[in-house]
């Protein structure tokens, strides 16, 4: 490492911070270079030692052998060393050339992975990876390093490293690009069939999963959901005997791994085998007298504590902590009782600790330099094979560049006290004790808060509690306390106090403890804040009162609307004859709710002998709907009687509702005019279901002419349609209450109406009843209005108005 002399600053001048920063950066870079160089040298020496041990050659011969293999395979020396370490074992080491063995006995030679057809860019990438691997210290680091290496070259999105377990299953030892939750879910894989990583290890060959639909049928795929990664590769790492480690590369994109990708991954597998083999041997700790003294000190401490050194990334972020020393009791929080923690990484012993208070406290102390003490937190431990929950408090203090972390596990008495405090806080209550023969009084902290009393003023005697209440509640509270003190009668009495935030409702519940003579000597009780409950009770009372008042109003409104409806819409008790037609009508009010609807009908004979048939439905309920119904019903009849066309009447009714600013109502209608001379039916509609025609046993809905509901738009357009009726025809005009019954769709209701009308029936009067019984549910939510029109089979002279009066009053 080199350094540059700093130019002395002139007296009074500020030092050149930029230059100092440059010098520090150069020194840091030089230090990193030297560290990498030392790490590379260690790998080379280790590979040389492996070749010497297996072949019996000299050190120079082993070095020359490694260099020659690297040159023949177009690899760097470092790559060759990683591959050599990954393929340790006589079975994997063919004979060595006698000329390079230094006169030693011939032995096997490690060939590793050939690269005769690997493109130059892949060779360069593998060379960079080999250099990067010297900084890897854990399998987790290896997974992150591989993802950074493979992401730009083949769009890798995740890397998983699995090791074979003794029971034939898999254990996840490293992952990157995968959430901790998913990694925890797939950390242990039992020896099941249909696991691609296990399949690759058993076969000793890669598994290329490049067709997701096919692979999903064959394998149990990792992912939540599995579609997250559309292509995957699983490669067993080469080594002595059966493969023990499998490398998984997962990609979000679909498609095949190209020949270049496969060659690249084969090379990566060879390098990773050596790196993992080097990691299998625990690193030897340096013989540092200072470190040994610190560890000896920590081992003598009768508490749970660790000395941590932060490990940072190249950008300066903390990625882990190294445990420099730990006490004998440190295993409880780490969950590794009996294991030596010193010299190991914190995440290696407890991977889930970043989500817990100790980790956050360490980061906070590194940032602020101030001591940290956590709130009590729960941590699950396994004691004697049983999971138990314990409460801890952690304290973190800075010590130079390191941190001292200590923690206390609270005992059962501490937990009981904490639970009691939580109960008082969550229940909004506090306990109190009074001695009746001594001045001794004790309150919990929560009682002072409830009574809005400063703890510095101390508690008050039991006889002084009524003085805290409002004057209106003092007498009742005084009598209750007197009965408790003198006669030992239990107390459960509400009272109110005035606080800075207004009136507070409290409840005092207490009982006396008596001596052997039955004389009260002590009182135990609690005070509870019932303000929220009392306010809810008062609000409920007000709500019930308002509901009853509204119910009475609605009942009166329904009675009024019903009377108006009956007065405005008289019903005939039997069929009537109009212009040669037999007309039967039915009106059924809704059975649920308290409102009366606005459905109506009209069936009258016009002065010229034609018949006017009308059904309509006003949106809404109540008196307003009935009033609008009456307005539309009489206006429509008046306009048609005075000569207006059907479409003209609908247009004028639309204008009428648009200018009725006191109602803002809308309505639907069907207007039909029947001429007995040629049995011609002309009709128009405004947003209403079409009439249903039954002819020769076949039901058919008439095609609706154009028409928008009344009162919706000033530009509404209405058109007429024409239909010629034949003897024996039946025409049904109805409102939507007949066919609309949620959750059934209205289309299904129209279909059922057609089926009901086409069912076998009789032409005798009263046949509308069976139709309604078949169509309507037990409880109707809407009014139903039906006009049933029949054309007699026998042709004859049309019945005039006088005959209609004699047959029955027309429901006009």
């Amino acid at each position: 490492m080199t350094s540059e002399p700093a130019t002395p600053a002139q007296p009074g001048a500020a030092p050149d911070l930029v230059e100092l920063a440059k010098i520090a950066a150069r020194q840091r870079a030089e230090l990193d270079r030297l560290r990498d160089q030392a790490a590379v040298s260690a790998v080379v020496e280790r590979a040389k030692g492996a070749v010497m041990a297996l072949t019996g050659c000299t050190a120079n011969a082993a070095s020359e052998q490694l260099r020659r293999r690297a040159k023949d395979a177009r690899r760097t020396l470092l790559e060759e060393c990683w591959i050599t370490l990954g393929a340790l074992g006589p079975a994997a080491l063919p004979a060595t050339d006698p000329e390079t063995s230094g006169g030693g006995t011939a032995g096997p030679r490690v060939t590793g992975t050939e690269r005769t057809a690997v493109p130059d860019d892949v060779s360069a990438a593998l060379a960079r990876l080999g250099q990067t691997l010297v900084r890897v210290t854990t399998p987790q680091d290896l997974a992150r390093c591989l993802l950074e290496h493979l992401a730009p070259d083949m769009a890798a999105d995740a890397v998983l490293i699995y090791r074979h377990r003794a029971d034939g299953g898999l254990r996840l030892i490293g992952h990157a690009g995968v959430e901790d939750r998913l990694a925890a879910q797939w950390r242990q894989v039992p020896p099941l069939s249909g696991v691609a990583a296990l399949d690759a290890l058993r076969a000793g060959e890669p598994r290329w999963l490049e067709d997701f639909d096919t692979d999903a049928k064959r394998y149990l795929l990792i992912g939540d959901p599995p579609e997250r990664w559309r292509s995957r590769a699983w490669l067993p790492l080469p080594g002595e005997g059966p493969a023990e480690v499998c490398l998984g590369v997962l990609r979000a994109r679909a498609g095949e791994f190209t020949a270049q990708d496969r060659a690249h991954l084969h090379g990566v597998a060879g390098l990773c085998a050596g790196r993992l083999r080097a990691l299998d041997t625990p690193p030897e700790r340096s013989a540092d007298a200072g470190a040994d003294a610190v560890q000896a000190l920590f081992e003598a401490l009768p508490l749970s504590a660790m000395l941590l050194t932060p490990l940072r990334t190249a950008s300066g972020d903390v990625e882990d902590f190294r445990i420099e020393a730990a006490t004998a009791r440190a295993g409880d929080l780490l969950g590794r009782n009996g294991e030596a923690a010193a010299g190991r990484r914190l995440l290696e012993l407890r991977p889930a600790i970043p989500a817990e208070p100790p980790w956050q406290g360490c980061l906070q102390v590194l940032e602020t330099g101030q001591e940290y003490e956590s709130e009590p937190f729960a941590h699950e431990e396994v004691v004697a094979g049983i999971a138990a929950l314990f409460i801890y408090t952690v304290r973190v203090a800075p010590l130079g560049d390191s941190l001292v972390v200590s923690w206390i596990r609270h005992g059962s008495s501490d937990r009981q006290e904490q639970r009691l405090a939580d109960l008082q806080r969550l229940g909004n209550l506090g306990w109190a004790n009074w001695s009746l023969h001594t001045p001794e009084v004790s309150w919990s902290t929560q009682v002072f808060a409830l009574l809005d009393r400063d703890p510095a003023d101390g508690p008050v005697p039991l006889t002084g509690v009524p003085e805290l209440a409002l004057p209106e509640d003092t007498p009742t509270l005084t009598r209750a306390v007197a009965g408790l003190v003198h006669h030992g009668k239990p107390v459960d009495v509400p009272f109110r106090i005035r606080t800075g935030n207004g009136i507070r409702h409290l409840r005092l519940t207490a009982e006396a403890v008596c001596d052997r003579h039955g004389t009260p000597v002590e009182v135990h009780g609690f005070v509870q804040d019932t303000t929220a409950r009392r306010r809810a009770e008062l609000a409920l009372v007000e709500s019930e009162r308002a509901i009853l008042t509204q119910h009475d109003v609605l009942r009166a409104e329904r009675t009024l609307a019903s009377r108006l409806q009956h007065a405005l819409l008289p019903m005939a008790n039997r069929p009537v004859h109009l212009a040669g037609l037999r007309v039967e009508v039915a009106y059924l009010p809704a059975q649920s709710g308290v409102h009366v609807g606005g459905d109506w009908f009209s069936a009258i004979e016009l002065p010229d002998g034609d018949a006017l048939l009308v059904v309509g439905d006003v949106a809404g309920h109540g008196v307003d709907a009935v009033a609008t119904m009456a307005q539309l019903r009489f206006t429509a009849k008046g306009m048609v009687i005075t000569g207006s066309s059907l479409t003209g009447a609908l247009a004028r009714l639309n204008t009428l509702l648009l200018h009725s600013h006191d109602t803002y109502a809308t309505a639907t209608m069907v207007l039909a005019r029947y001429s007995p001379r040629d049995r011609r039916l002309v009709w128009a509609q405004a947003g209403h279901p079409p009439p249903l025609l039954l002819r020769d046993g076949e039901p058919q809905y008439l095609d609706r002419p154009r028409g928008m509901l009344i009162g919706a738009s000033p530009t509404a357009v209405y058109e007429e349609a024409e239909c010629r009726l034949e003897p024996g025809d039946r025409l049904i005009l109805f409102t939507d209450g007949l066919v609309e019954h949620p959750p059934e769709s209205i289309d299904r209701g129209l279909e059922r109406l057609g089926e009901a009308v086409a069912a076998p029936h009789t032409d005798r009067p009263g046949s509308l009843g069976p139709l309604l019984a078949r169509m309507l549910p037990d409880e109707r939510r809407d009014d139903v209005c039906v006009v049933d029109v029949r054309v007699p089979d026998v042709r004859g002279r049309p019945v005039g108005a006088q005959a209609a009066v004699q047959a029955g009053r027309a429901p006009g």
Side-chain angles (χ1 to χ4, degrees):
M1 180 173 65
T2 61
S3 61
E4 299 181 4
T7 304
Q10 297 180 359
D16 192 341
L17 297 180
V18 176
E19 289 301 323
L20 291 177
K22 291 180 179 179
I23 294 173
R26 283 195 292 270
Q27 291 176 339
R28 188 179 298 109
E30 180 65 14
L31 181 60
D32 292 341
R33 187 187 67 79
L34 292 176
R35 286 177 178 170
D36 289 348
Q37 183 177 344
V40 170
S41 299
V43 174
V44 174
E45 292 301 318
R46 189 168 182 178
K48 286 169 55 179
V51 174
M52 292 169 61
L54 295 174
T55 64
C57 66
T58 64
N60 290 335
S63 177
E64 179 60 29
Q65 190 176 144
L66 289 172
R67 293 182 185 277
R68 182 161 61 84
R69 291 182 200 156
K71 180 178 179 182
D72 292 345
R74 298 174 60 196
R75 285 191 282 258
T76 64
L77 177 60
L78 186 58
E79 287 181 87
E80 187 64 36
C81 291
W82 286 130
I83 294 174
T84 299
L85 293 175
L88 288 178
L93 301 173
T96 303
D97 190 341
E99 296 182 2
T100 62
S101 63
T105 57
R109 178 174 65 88
V110 178
T111 59
T113 303
E114 297 299 332
R115 197 191 289 171
T116 56
V118 175
D120 292 340
D121 53 349
V122 173
S123 297
L126 291 175
R128 291 193 301 271
L129 177 61
Q131 189 70 33
T132 306
L133 289 180
V134 299
R135 304 192 186 101
V136 171
T137 58
T138 65
Q140 188 67 22
D141 291 343
L142 178 59
R144 287 194 291 264
C145 175
L146 291 180
L147 184 58
E148 293 175 358
H149 172 78
L150 296 174
D153 289 339
M154 62 182 67
D157 295 286
V159 170
L160 301 176
I161 304 176
Y162 275 105
R163 183 182 293 278
H164 224 157
R165 294 190 327 216
D167 63 353
L170 297 175
R171 178 170 63 90
L172 184 65
I173 61 175
H175 63 87
V178 177
E179 301 84 356
D180 291 340
R181 177 188 57 80
L182 187 60
Q185 179 182 350
W186 288 86
R187 189 170 300 279
Q188 303 292 339
V189 179
L192 303 173
S193 60
V195 178
L198 269 174
D199 192 12
L201 286 177
R202 291 166 180 165
E205 298 177 350
R207 291 293 178 258
W208 309 98
L209 280 61
E210 300 165 323
D211 185 337
F212 180 82
D213 295 334
T214 302
D215 297 331
K217 298 176 182 178
R218 182 179 179 187
Y219 293 113
L220 180 63
L221 300 181
I222 296 174
D224 187 13
E227 294 83 356
R228 175 180 177 183
W229 295 299
R230 306 293 296 185
S231 59
R232 309 152 191 252
W234 292 97
L235 294 91
L237 300 192
E240 178 186 3
E244 293 295 324
V245 178
C246 191
L247 169 65
V249 178
L250 287 66
R251 304 189 304 182
R253 78 179 188 186
E256 298 181 353
F257 288 87
T258 64
Q260 179 171 324
D261 291 339
R262 297 192 178 198
H264 193 166
L265 289 177
H266 278 294
V268 168
L271 298 180
C272 290
R275 177 68 272 186
L276 284 177
R277 180 62 59 86
L279 293 178
D280 288 343
T281 304
E284 298 181 0
R285 298 189 66 191
S286 60
D288 189 336
D292 292 340
V294 171
Q295 179 59 37
L297 172 63
F298 268 69
E299 289 177 353
L301 294 176
L303 48 81
S304 302
M306 297 182 297
L307 179 64
L308 302 180
T309 297
L311 302 177
R312 301 181 182 273
T313 63
S315 61
D317 297 329
V318 176
E319 63 176 358
D320 203 347
F321 291 90
R322 185 173 59 249
I323 304 174
E324 303 293 351
T327 65
R329 300 183 183 179
D332 50 7
L333 184 63
L334 296 177
R336 301 298 181 99
N337 292 319
E339 291 190 30
R344 303 179 71 173
R345 289 191 172 205
L346 187 58
L347 289 181
E348 179 185 355
L349 297 178
R350 186 162 181 78
I353 203 169
E356 298 177 356
W359 182 277
Q360 305 303 323
C362 291
L363 298 181
Q364 181 177 327
V365 173
L366 289 176
E367 181 179 354
T368 64
Q370 303 295 322
E371 293 185 1
Y372 165 84
E373 184 168 352
S374 74
E375 296 290 334
F377 67 94
H379 168 64
E380 186 180 85
E381 298 177 24
V382 179
V383 180
I386 301 176
L389 201 64
F390 293 92
I391 305 298
Y392 284 92
T393 299
V394 170
R395 184 173 179 270
V396 184
L399 181 63
D401 294 334
S402 301
L403 302 174
V404 177
V405 181
S406 61
W407 57 94
I408 298 175
R409 186 167 76 180
H410 299 284
S412 58
S413 60
D414 298 329
R415 292 200 300 274
Q416 291 292 352
E417 186 174 338
Q418 181 64 40
R419 289 170 183 168
L420 180 58
D422 292 341
L423 175 63
Q424 294 183 82
R425 177 177 52 83
L426 297 174
N428 217 1
L429 56 83
W431 58 263
N433 294 331
W434 290 274
S435 175
L436 301 182
H437 296 296
T438 67
E440 182 180 355
V441 180
S442 59
W443 285 0
S444 68
T445 305
Q446 192 71 9
V447 174
F448 287 98
L450 295 178
L451 293 176
D452 198 26
R453 183 175 177 83
D454 189 348
D457 297 335
V460 300
L462 182 57
T463 54
V465 172
E467 299 176 3
L468 303 176
L470 293 181
E472 307 93 286
D473 298 338
T474 299
T476 302
L477 191 55
T478 301
R479 287 192 297 270
V481 170
L484 175 65
V485 171
H486 298 297
H487 306 290
K489 294 181 179 180
V491 167
D492 190 348
V493 58
F495 65 99
R496 294 168 295 170
I497 65 171
R498 188 178 302 277
T499 69
N501 295 326
I503 301 299
R504 179 175 296 168
H505 294 261
L506 300 177
R507 171 192 176 201
L508 173 63
T509 301
E511 63 181 4
V513 178
C514 301
D515 60 12
R516 59 178 180 158
H517 302 294
T519 303
V521 295
E522 192 172 333
V523 172
H524 301 161
F526 67 86
V527 178
Q528 185 178 19
D529 186 352
T530 60
T531 305
R533 186 177 67 182
R534 183 58 181 163
R535 289 175 179 171
E537 291 173 352
L538 294 176
L540 180 60
V541 169
E542 290 297 326
S543 178
E544 290 177 349
R545 192 173 298 163
I547 290 174
L548 291 175
T549 302
Q550 183 67 17
H551 188 270
D552 292 340
V553 172
L554 293 177
R555 183 182 299 170
E557 180 182 341
R558 176 179 175 83
T559 301
L560 173 61
S562 179
R563 291 176 178 175
L564 286 174
Q565 190 179 54
H566 284 297
L568 298 173
L569 198 64
M571 295 290 298
N573 54 10
R574 54 183 175 176
V576 296
H577 296 273
L578 303 173
L581 303 174
R582 194 185 77 190
V583 180
E584 187 175 357
V585 297
Y587 176 81
L588 300 176
Q591 291 178 314
S592 61
V594 296
H595 289 302
V596 175
D599 290 24
W600 88 92
F601 66 89
S602 284
I604 63 172
E605 189 168 302
L606 300 175
D608 59 359
D610 291 353
L612 176 65
L613 306 172
V614 186
V615 291
D617 185 2
V618 174
H621 298 81
V623 176
D624 290 341
V626 174
T628 304
M629 175 268 288
Q631 185 181 34
L632 294 177
R633 181 172 182 265
F634 291 114
T635 304
K637 289 196 300 182
M639 286 189 293
V640 175
I641 289 175
T642 56
S644 293
S645 63
L646 301 182
T647 56
L650 289 177
R652 290 179 176 85
L653 292 176
N654 181 63
T655 303
L656 176 65
L657 284 194
L658 286 174
H659 289 81
S660 298
H661 300 293
D662 54 338
T663 60
Y664 300 99
T666 58
T668 65
M669 288 181 64
V670 168
L671 286 175
R673 182 167 185 158
Y674 174 75
S675 175
R677 292 172 291 280
D678 51 4
R679 296 194 301 276
R680 186 167 63 97
L681 180 76
V682 179
W683 68 287
Q685 63 87 29
H688 201 86
L692 174 63
L693 175 65
L694 179 67
R695 175 173 293 171
D696 298 329
E698 292 294 330
Q700 180 182 2
Y701 288 97
L702 301 182
D703 294 333
R704 288 201 315 171
R706 189 163 56 153
M708 182 183 297
L709 76 164
I710 299 170
S713 171
T715 59
V717 176
Y718 301 99
E719 297 178 350
E720 291 182 349
E722 183 177 323
C723 174
R724 192 173 299 276
L725 299 182
E726 301 293 339
D729 284 353
R730 184 181 184 185
L731 188 70
I732 305 292
L733 287 77
F734 57 92
T735 58
D736 57 2
L738 182 65
V739 294
E740 191 172 19
H741 308 294
E744 180 184 77
S745 68
I746 191 170
D747 291 335
R748 175 54 187 154
L750 293 171
E751 182 179 344
R752 286 200 309 111
L753 177 59
E755 295 170 356
V757 171
H761 60 280
T762 177
D763 291 335
R764 291 180 301 175
S767 60
L768 189 56
L771 173 66
L772 297 177
R774 181 170 179 175
M775 286 298 300
L776 299 179
D778 294 336
E779 184 175 349
R780 297 182 298 277
R781 299 182 182 181
D782 198 3
D783 295 357
V784 176
C785 184
V786 181
V787 176
D788 186 2
V789 179
R790 296 174 184 267
V791 181
D793 284 330
V794 180
R795 298 174 182 273
R797 183 174 56 84
V799 180
Q802 185 63 32
V805 172
Q806 295 175 357
R809 182 169 54 89

